[in-house]
Amino acid sequence: MSIVTIRNVEFINNPARFSDVYRFRVTFECIAQLPDDLEWKLIYVSSPGNEELDQELDDCLVGPVPVGVNSFEFEGSPPDPSKIPTEDVLGVAALILTGSYKDQEFVRVGYYQNTEYDNEEMKETPPPKIMFDRLVRDINSKPRVTRFQIKWDVSPPQQGGAAVAGAATSASVPSANDLDDSMDVDGDQSKS
Amino acid sequence: MHFTKPAWVVHKDSSAKSDSTKRLSIFSVHVHPDGSRIATGGLDAKVRIWSTKPILNPASEASNKPPKALCTLTMHTGPVLTVRWAHSGRWLASGSDDEIVMIWDLDLNSRGKVWGSDEVNVEGWKPMKRLPGHESDVTDVAWAPGDRYLASVGLDSNIIIWCGFTLERITKIDQHQGFVKGVCWDPVGEFLATQSDDRSVKIWRTTDWGLEAEVKKPFEDSPGSTFFRRLSWSPDGAHITASNATNNKGFVFIAAVITRGTWTSEISLVGHENTVEVASYNPHIFLRNPSAPVATSNICSVVALGADDRSVSVWQTKSARPLIVAKEVFERQIMDLSWSWDGMTLYAASSDGTIAVFNFEPDEMEGIAPHSVQEQYLSKFNFIPPKLPEGYSHHNATLVQARPALTSTSSNANLFDSPVGGGEQVNVLVAKKNTKKKRAGLTTMSSVPSAGTGGAPPSSLSSSSTSRMPHATTFSSSNSKSFFPAPEEQPFGDVDYDMMNLSGMGKGKGRVMAMEEPTYRTLGGDRPRPANVPVRELGGAAAGAGAVGSGGIYLAVPTIMSKVSVQVEGGDVVFEAINAEEGTGGVTEIMYIDVGGNKTLWLDYLPTTVNHLAVTQSFCAVAMTDGSVNVYSHAGRRLMPTISLGSPCSAIDAKGDCLMALTQTGMLYSWNVKKGTTFFPPVSIAPIMPISPNYTITSAFVRENGSPVLNASNGIAYAYDPSMCIWVKVSERWWAEGSDEWRSQQKGTNNNSGSASKGVLPYIEGSISFDVTEGNQKQQQRPEWWNTALTLGHLETRLHAARLLDSPVEFRQTLELYAKKIADEGFRDKGEELIRELSGPVYWHEGKETGWSPMVAGLNKRDLLKDVLSIFARSKSLTKLGQDWQDFLRKIAAE
């Protein structure tokens, strides 16, 4: 049972130039008080076969985290071009966002990032030496999510105020027979 | 009754490719009290919510209105073993392998696309509260009447009682000595019942959570490794029906009906061919005589059972036979059952990853009484439930309606906020660079959390809500003396029922209505059954025989009779051969006859006389005296060309898809008819035929896995082991001379004509033990270790036999006996070796390729190991060995 569940990850600047900072907004739900901070990391994987070439772009702490839906923004620096093997600069790389609690990783979100030149001529015939200032990146919006079970160390039993007041405070549940799927699905996240 | 299997109710493997269609096990299903939605819990660690209208109504299914899948809840990190809606319908509780009980609440704002997946939640359910406390898998949860409490049970052997209002933990009960795998509440509210692998059902008082009673007898021999032992309390409060009970030393699988008050089980529901996994009562009281008044003697109930034999049965306690038995509806065990609140629909979930729905007609649920009858009836118990916590309620219409108004006033907004009152509240946190691992500050733009808390308790409303508690008013205070209508007044039908067979109730998706006899033409047409042919001998053994086998074997072949017939299992149908008498000009013919309708369903003519017939569910076989064999389908089509064996059959036998033939010359064949393959190359029985002419093969039969079993007249039963290409002894009379386990086996073998129902090993042992007299056993002086050695040898032989003959149930039973014996004797080395054999390499896990096979006799070795360890752990001499390994297994599992 994960106490923290990611609801959404948004890229505030995407597509962007290769050398731009990464700006993210992470929205997550927390279902129990967490005394410690959550740690989030952004990692750039240029060469999947060689872990040593992974670059940690950002590492931040968030906390204390209240129960409920929370969001935060953070920035990660662009990868250091000198540490990327020349043959791995163009094309597809992976961007990984990890969430940890008490040094245990509980979620890992992977994205594909495509890197290419910003004009057709250079796409057709790339210059012999990579011109980093002409590169743009585009992050595929489909996340690949892996969750891990960790010890959240919430001491049972959970005391601490009456959290719930009986189902009377819950919404009454209408019959499912009347539901339809005409709702605006994609826009629903931003709507309120 | 309508029967449906909605193919779209599915839990899929999300780690596999998205187009993967592999169904993952569904462990639990539960209908919402309003009947419009169901929740399912699966191996994929998800809770899914589905609408029921598309299941029950084809037009709705076609139009996709309402949508079929309503919501997917993904927060559990282990398989979800139980889902239960609160009686109020507002909350859903789920229990999982991840040791957590979760409470879910409707949340209109969390509808929409699920991030990180292709799922769309049409209806939003949010995690409201996480209830940690169990130290292992949570197997079952149950809401008390009026949602006063929630009980959860698990593999940590514990029961935890949570307040149904505050969801705080009230108490933990740790008096079970084994995995707890089922829980239910008394509808009166006085008791709680739990069922455990410690082979007991325990009844607890809700007033002080003390033990009221313990029921052990029906479970003494119940197998240990079922997934669940879900039990159910009848709506009139009079009985508990418990799963996984046995009669007859563990050979008859039953559900035990326990009577309130005396807490004894005199009644069993008999008929399932394997362990009963789940029992579930229809929530309505039924009247035996609908026009007579509601009295204890006029009340009965309806209970559904689901079992490891893949079938579901529904019983009405006033009648001697089940209302329905649905066989072959699932491909694997039934894991859970749930009745709709109106009592007309039954949902069943299976580990094959499907659910099935039985929708009854009102006339099939004769005598069903409205819920008000139950309420009135239960009030006779005069049980006064403990007071509710102040200010709490599940049902308060005014409170719900008042909330939007209150949220709009800013001063009270914190108290009553919930997502329903408006848009979702999101706390905006500030991330700080993790340079020195220093805590970052937090700026809260809006301090109101949306999930997990409702803010402070609504104290300002307590005065109004307490007066509206719905249940407080229904109890009359005039008579405080406890009164209980004697359950004996409520007779059950006869105890030993046979199951009606409704096989072919439809595999896969489809609706089966009341079936009408089709009136198509068949070969042989509507020719009435010929007048009875007198059965007599037509002459000597087969013509055209005479070849003598390689080992000089010449087995007996039955004389040719004028008529040979065999009953087709599970129907009023007979397969019959009429042999032509030589010189009379008659013809030999075979017929497939509907005895009830007195007509021939199909026929065929044959060139030579017939000496054997065999029929299974999948085919009919005819062995002829010239050594040929024809195989027909049940519609009379030849499933394969005529087989030519060269010499006539001494015996043939068929089981499932398997056909075995033993020829006069001692060659033995075993084929899979469906696949058209042989289980092993034809083999001679010469090695097991002693030279002496007096020894004969007394009987021969085959198992569904193709293993032939031959009984020789010297008191030895042989089977052929195709992997070693040798004949092995699966049992012999020798064990009778000293094995403690020999005699116990024979009780069940009297009047046992077939090997199918009671297990193959007792059948074999029964068939070779006939002339063991007790006299010569007692006279002989035996060495000190005689009995122990023979008992262990006997059990070890039986284990090998059960494996070879593919009899998982008997393998497990024998293994338990064997483990007990080793433990009783304190043979530590044998015990440890057995443990290692079952545990395999320490770092083995599913999917890992090693030389070690994780399965034996179709069972998971590590599951068996758990049984063995719990036996060792409870023993006098091997306690430590058992416990150490139990700890060790837990560690492996945790990694």
Side-chain angles (χ1 to χ4, degrees):
Chain A
M1 167 58 59
S2 179
I3 287 186
V4 172
T5 309
I6 297 184
R7 283 279 201 91
N8 199 13
V9 177
E10 295 158 80
F11 308 96
I12 298 165
N13 58 340
N14 189 55
R17 304 206 73 81
F18 185 77
S19 52
D20 287 350
V21 293
Y22 291 90
R23 293 182 59 212
F24 277 81
R25 183 184 299 120
V26 176
T27 308
F28 64 93
E29 181 159 17
C30 177
I31 54 170
Q33 290 282 350
L34 292 175
D36 280 29
D37 291 349
L38 293 172
E39 182 180 3
W40 301 88
K41 280 183 192 172
L42 187 65
I43 299 161
Y44 182 84
V45 181
S46 59
S47 319
N50 188 351
E51 235 175 274
E52 284 174 17
L53 293 176
D54 290 358
Q55 295 189 41
E56 190 177 298
L57 304 182
D58 192 35
D59 181 357
C60 70
L61 295 177
V62 170
V65 178
V67 171
V69 180
N70 304 290
S71 81
F72 66 96
E73 282 180 27
F74 74 103
E75 286 185 3
S77 21
D80 179 351
S82 65
K83 292 181 182 162
I84 308 174
T86 317
E87 66 275 16
D88 289 331
V89 171
L90 287 171
V92 177
L95 203 57
I96 291 173
L97 174 70
T98 67
S100 308
Y101 183 70
K102 292 193 171 180
D103 294 326
Q104 310 159 86
E105 187 175 309
F106 62 88
V107 69
R108 169 168 286 238
V109 186
Y111 290 94
Y112 290 120
Q113 167 181 330
N114 190 38
T115 306
E116 59 188 13
Y117 282 105
D118 59 1
N119 58 78
E120 291 303 319
E121 302 89 77
M122 291 170 89
K123 276 185 200 170
E124 293 275 319
T125 45
K129 189 174 186 313
I130 291 177
M131 300 173 68
F132 282 96
D133 55 337
R134 302 305 302 270
L135 289 176
V136 288
R137 67 168 188 241
D138 189 2
I139 300 165
N140 187 313
S141 61
K142 191 179 164 75
R144 326 251 151 181
V145 187
T146 316
R147 298 181 173 90
F148 305 99
Q149 180 150 11
I150 65 162
K151 291 214 182 311
W152 292 93
D153 280 340
V154 176
S155 51
Q158 259 183 296
Q159 301 297 343
V164 186
T169 52
S170 290
S172 59
V173 179
S175 168
N177 293 346
D178 306 325
L179 284 168
D180 62 55
D181 55 358
S182 60
M183 53 189 279
D184 177 8
V185 163
D186 291 326
D188 202 66
Q189 292 286 358
S190 54
K191 224 168 42 178
S192 63
Chain B
M1 183 198 64
H2 293 255
F3 169 77
T4 312
K5 284 193 89 176
W8 38 267
V9 174
V10 61
H11 284 251
K12 268 198 268 187
D13 192 352
S14 57
S15 62
K17 289 187 186 89
S18 55
D19 57 336
S20 160
T21 51
K22 189 174 180 292
R23 286 171 178 274
L24 296 180
S25 292
I26 298 179
F27 294 112
S28 187
V29 61
H30 200 240
V31 206
H32 189 270
D34 77 2
S36 72
R37 57 176 75 65
I38 55 170
T40 55
L43 186 64
D44 57 358
K46 288 174 183 155
V47 176
R48 286 170 173 269
I49 299 172
W50 315 85
S51 43
T52 55
K53 202 174 173 191
I55 299 175
L56 304 171
N57 179 336
S60 163
E61 184 178 27
S63 68
N64 216 32
K65 275 179 189 166
K68 298 180 178 83
L70 296 181
C71 188
T72 304
L73 308 173
T74 54
M75 267 192 188
H76 280 294
T77 47
V80 179
L81 303 181
T82 176
V83 285
R84 296 289 181 257
W85 296 99
H87 299 288
S88 69
R90 298 190 179 189
W91 290 349
L92 173 68
S94 62
S96 158
D97 247 23
D98 66 13
E99 309 177 2
I100 298 298
V101 175
M102 196 72 213
I103 310 296
W104 308 87
D105 190 16
L106 187 69
D107 176 12
L108 299 173
N109 290 293
S110 64
R111 301 195 311 169
K113 197 169 182 311
V114 180
W115 178 80
S117 82
D118 300 326
E119 318 258 359
V120 174
N121 284 344
V122 178
E123 188 173 80
W125 289 83
K126 66 174 179 190
M128 188 178 66
K129 188 131 168 109
R130 178 182 183 266
L131 307 179
H134 280 286
E135 287 149 35
S136 187
D137 307 12
V138 178
T139 52
D140 208 2
V141 298
W143 293 95
D147 298 333
R148 180 67 184 78
Y149 304 106
L150 175 72
S152 60
V153 299
L155 300 190
D156 58 359
S157 304
N158 290 331
I159 305 158
I160 300 183
I161 311 293
W162 315 84
C163 174
F165 296 90
T166 64
L167 298 174
E168 297 299 326
R169 184 158 104 173
I170 291 175
T171 191
K172 177 158 119 181
I173 304 172
D174 59 1
Q175 292 172 52
H176 271 298
Q177 269 88 51
F179 301 158
V180 189
K181 291 179 173 175
V183 60
C184 71
W185 292 90
D186 163 23
V188 177
E190 200 176 356
F191 301 113
L192 169 76
T194 54
Q195 189 171 357
S196 159
D197 270 5
D198 65 12
R199 294 187 164 84
S200 74
V201 164
K202 292 192 195 322
I203 324 287
W204 314 90
R205 288 181 297 272
T206 57
T207 44
D208 63 353
W209 306 111
L211 182 67
E212 172 77 10
E214 183 178 42
V215 185
K216 286 195 142 169
K217 199 162 175 301
F219 312 106
E220 277 167 356
D221 298 298
S222 78
S225 306
T226 49
F227 241 96
F228 300 111
R229 292 170 181 261
R230 303 205 203 264
L231 68 177
S232 183
W233 208 305
S234 67
D236 61 352
H239 301 101
I240 301 167
T241 293
S243 56
N244 197 347
T246 62
N247 274 346
N248 207 354
K249 291 270 175 191
F251 288 107
V252 177
F253 302 100
I254 62 164
V257 181
I258 298 164
T259 303
R260 189 193 193 105
T262 63
W263 309 117
T264 53
S265 171
E266 311 295 335
I267 302 154
S268 353
L269 303 178
V270 186
H272 279 285
E273 287 165 19
N274 206 335
T275 325
V276 176
E277 190 98 28
V278 47
S280 177
Y281 271 98
N282 186 304
H284 286 261
I285 281 179
F286 285 72
L287 297 179
R288 289 161 187 274
N289 177 356
S291 51
V294 181
T296 304
S297 59
N298 193 30
I299 283 179
C300 62
S301 43
V302 168
V303 64
L305 304 178
D308 284 0
D309 65 6
R310 300 170 292 168
S311 66
V312 174
S313 58
V314 180
W315 308 71
Q316 186 158 28
T317 51
K318 73 171 180 184
S319 97
R321 283 175 164 269
L323 282 175
I324 64 148
V325 178
K327 286 189 173 182
E328 294 174 21
V329 164
F330 291 112
E331 283 162 20
R332 290 175 65 187
Q333 306 100 301
I334 284 76
M335 300 268 110
D336 204 4
L337 294 168
S338 170
W339 286 93
S340 61
W341 183 236
D342 67 4
M344 300 308 286
T345 311
L346 173 67
Y347 295 81
S350 163
S351 59
D352 70 10
T354 64
I355 68 160
V357 186
F358 304 83
N359 195 12
F360 293 90
E361 302 290 337
D363 61 322
E364 291 168 314
M365 288 286 157
E366 203 193 344
I368 191 164
H371 282 295
S372 56
V373 169
Q374 183 201 17
E375 213 170 296
Q376 252 175 10
Y377 183 78
L378 293 180
S379 68
K380 289 193 207 165
F381 287 80
N382 276 334
F383 174 73
I384 296 162
K387 269 176 68 180
L388 302 190
E390 188 135 328
Y392 293 111
S393 170
H394 286 314
H395 312 270
N396 195 320
T398 48
L399 183 62
V400 175
Q401 280 159 16
R403 266 189 311 154
L406 285 165
T407 36
S408 61
T409 58
S410 57
S411 61
N412 282 343
N414 282 3
L415 292 180
F416 305 108
D417 179 82
S418 94
V420 185
E424 183 170 70
Q425 304 288 332
V426 178
N427 305 320
V428 178
L429 311 181
V430 174
K432 273 216 165 172
K433 289 279 179 196
N434 184 15
T435 45
K436 302 172 209 162
K437 293 259 176 193
K438 251 169 102 181
R439 173 162 300 199
L442 155 71
T443 312
T444 306
M445 305 282 280
S446 159
S447 63
V448 183
S450 82
T453 77
S459 51
S460 60
L461 287 160
S462 56
S463 55
S464 68
S465 55
T466 39
S467 62
R468 287 174 198 276
M469 276 180 283
H471 298 291
T473 53
T474 57
F475 295 94
S476 64
S477 53
S478 59
N479 185 2
S480 62
K481 229 173 108 187
S482 182
F483 161 77
F484 182 75
E488 309 83 74
E489 291 173 35
Q490 205 197 107
F492 266 73
D494 289 331
V495 175
D496 258 45
Y497 318 125
D498 276 338
M499 275 205 174
M500 288 188 320
N501 190 347
L502 283 189
S503 65
M505 274 252 315
K507 251 184 192 175
K509 197 174 144 45
R511 280 162 213 275
V512 178
M513 318 277 294
M515 276 205 247
E516 282 174 32
E517 274 306 322
T519 49
Y520 304 110
R521 268 165 56 88
T522 56
L523 184 61
D526 297 329
R527 197 180 76 161
R529 190 184 186 187
N532 255 349
V533 181
V535 182
R536 56 196 168 84
E537 291 188 12
L538 289 186
V548 171
S550 50
I553 297 170
Y554 194 86
L555 297 174
V557 170
T559 44
I560 301 163
M561 309 298 281
S562 59
K563 182 171 103 172
V564 190
S565 72
V566 54
Q567 182 89 24
V568 177
E569 204 183 325
D572 206 4
V573 175
V574 168
F575 188 45
E576 207 165 83
I578 308 289
N579 283 322
E581 210 166 335
E582 231 170 305
T584 60
V587 288
T588 296
E589 62 177 58
I590 54 169
M591 281 167 292
Y592 192 85
I593 300 162
D594 175 4
V595 180
N598 194 25
K599 59 186 176 195
T600 307
L601 298 178
W602 55 268
L603 55 74
D604 197 12
Y605 301 103
L606 299 174
T608 46
T609 47
V610 170
N611 58 3
H612 291 285
L613 297 175
V615 174
T616 75
Q617 297 277 356
S618 45
F619 65 92
C620 315
V622 181
M624 287 163 270
T625 43
D626 67 348
S628 26
V629 177
N630 275 359
V631 179
Y632 298 91
S633 72
H634 281 278
R637 290 168 53 242
R638 277 183 175 71
L639 292 175
M640 53 174 71
T642 299
I643 295 167
S644 184
L645 296 175
S647 65
C649 290
S650 169
I652 70 170
D653 189 43
K655 201 74 40 75
D657 292 331
C658 173
L659 174 63
M660 178 204 75
L662 175 62
T663 66
Q664 194 174 27
T665 53
M667 288 305 286
L668 189 127
Y669 303 82
S670 181
W671 303 288
N672 182 323
V673 169
K674 201 174 183 183
K675 290 186 186 154
T677 55
T678 179
F679 286 102
F680 46 83
V683 61
S684 166
I685 63 162
I688 58 169
M689 284 300 287
I691 304 302
S692 163
N694 293 333
Y695 283 1
T696 54
I697 298 296
T698 53
S699 70
F701 66 91
V702 69
R703 296 279 296 163
E704 232 171 289
N705 69 346
S707 295
V709 180
L710 304 185
N711 280 337
S713 58
N714 56 358
I716 301 176
Y718 297 93
Y720 187 70
D721 184 340
S723 53
M724 291 169 71
C725 297
I726 44 152
W727 289 97
V728 295
K729 295 177 178 179
V730 285
S731 192
E732 56 186 313
R733 219 174 281 162
W734 160 254
W735 304 122
E737 312 230 337
S739 169
D740 300 337
E741 297 300 334
W742 184 268
R743 301 220 59 80
S744 66
Q745 281 297 309
Q746 290 176 45
K747 288 176 190 166
T749 60
N750 304 331
N751 70 21
N752 184 0
S753 53
S755 59
S757 57
K758 303 235 167 137
V760 64
L761 296 181
Y763 175 70
I764 293 174
E765 291 185 359
S767 65
I768 58 176
S769 70
F770 54 93
D771 63 349
V772 178
T773 56
E774 279 185 49
N776 60 25
Q777 248 182 338
K778 279 177 186 159
Q779 282 157 12
Q780 280 170 11
Q781 198 68 30
R782 298 299 194 190
E784 185 196 348
W785 289 101
W786 178 265
N787 283 48
T788 311
L790 259 72
T791 307
L792 287 179
H794 179 214
L795 291 176
E796 283 161 5
T797 304
R798 252 204 231 162
L799 280 176
H800 288 300
R803 178 179 51 79
L804 188 58
L805 302 180
D806 196 25
S807 177
V809 174
E810 287 170 292
F811 187 88
R812 174 173 285 153
Q813 281 164 350
T814 309
L815 184 65
E816 286 179 13
L817 281 174
Y818 183 60
K820 260 182 214 145
K821 185 76 188 169
I822 289 182
D824 289 350
E825 299 285 349
F827 293 148
R828 196 176 186 281
D829 287 353
K830 282 187 191 243
E832 193 159 354
E833 197 179 81
L834 177 67
I835 290 172
R836 288 190 190 282
E837 189 181 303
L838 291 174
S839 73
V842 174
Y843 292 108
W844 182 89
H845 56 82
E846 206 144 338
K848 184 165 175 174
E849 274 303 318
T850 60
W852 185 68
S853 158
M855 307 292 285
V856 59
L859 299 167
N860 188 315
K861 283 185 184 170
R862 288 201 174 168
D863 286 349
L864 293 170
L865 180 58
K866 284 182 191 163
D867 283 5
V868 169
L869 292 178
S870 70
I871 289 168
F872 285 176
R874 274 181 276 133
S875 69
K876 286 200 187 102
S877 51
L878 300 184
T879 322
K880 190 169 181 310
L881 180 69
Q883 285 170 349
D884 287 354
W885 275 84
Q886 280 176 332
D887 289 346
F888 180 65
L889 270 195
R890 270 194 282 274
K891 273 181 209 147
I892 297 183
E895 273 165 15

